[in-house]
Amino acid sequence: MPQEVLRQSNFNGGELSPQAVGRRDLKAYASSLALAINMMPMAEGPIRRRPGLRHVDLVRNKLATVPVTEAMLSAPNGGAAGGVLTGAGFETTTPLETAGGYVVLEIDFGAPTTVGMVDLVDFLIKAPSGGGGGGGGDLDPLPDPTPPQYPWNPLSPELIVS
């Protein structure tokens, strides 16, 4: 039985979105890639590896961890602030409709401290169960970062077997 060999010399269609994989009726399908990691399609047709990054300068002030303890935390709008550090969660008890600013959490370092950034992970504004106020309610789960159309892991040559 003859074996079909597909050759593609034009990649200027770029990378297909997961929704377009399998859409052979699209004009760009014949000149696109299903997955292009660290590659740049050129207008003339070929693809090239992404160039490296240029060294600009050394980082003068490196970020360092600022220790935070439970005694430093306070929640002016209600809630148990200790759950923030343990990962148990934190929920305020005052409605968001209050006048003025709404402070979720305060950290008292005891002395002036420069903080470069704060990581806010798994943040959600949720409407109360009685309705009204709050945000948009429960959020939809985040999509899987590897679409189901791709049966391979782009970071390793082995197939993903599930």
Side-chain angles (χ1 to χ4, degrees):
M1 180 169 203
Q3 186 176 5
E4 183 179 7
V5 177
L6 300 174
R7 291 192 171 92
Q8 184 174 349
S9 61
N10 182 3
F11 300 100
N12 60 4
E15 182 176 342
L16 288 173
S17 73
Q19 292 83 15
V21 172
R23 292 283 315 270
R24 294 179 184 224
D25 58 325
L26 296 176
K27 193 174 192 178
Y29 185 85
S31 63
S32 299
L33 296 156
L35 188 64
I37 296 177
N38 289 330
M39 303 298 279
M40 291 180 11
M42 307 303 290
E44 298 81 19
I47 58 172
R48 291 194 177 148
R49 295 180 76 124
R50 178 186 59 84
L53 301 175
R54 186 170 55 105
H55 175 73
V56 177
D57 199 0
L58 295 174
V59 176
R60 299 286 181 225
N61 299 320
K62 292 185 179 180
L63 294 177
T65 304
V66 178
V68 177
T69 63
E70 190 172 339
M72 296 178 177
L73 300 176
S74 65
N77 285 306
V84 172
L85 296 177
T86 62
F90 170 71
E91 186 173 337
T92 61
T93 55
T94 305
L96 287 174
E97 291 89 20
T98 57
Y102 190 88
V103 178
V104 176
L105 190 69
E106 288 181 342
I107 303 173
D108 182 12
F109 291 106
T113 304
T114 301
V115 177
M117 63 184 229
V118 175
D119 289 331
L120 186 61
V121 181
D122 293 336
F123 178 73
L124 174 68
I125 297 176
K126 184 177 173 184
S129 58
D138 290 333
L139 297 177
D140 294 331
L142 292 174
D144 184 8
T146 305
Q149 291 91 344
Y150 303 139
W152 63 87
N153 181 350
L155 301 178
S156 68
E158 300 91 21
L159 288 176
I160 297 174
V161 180
S162 55

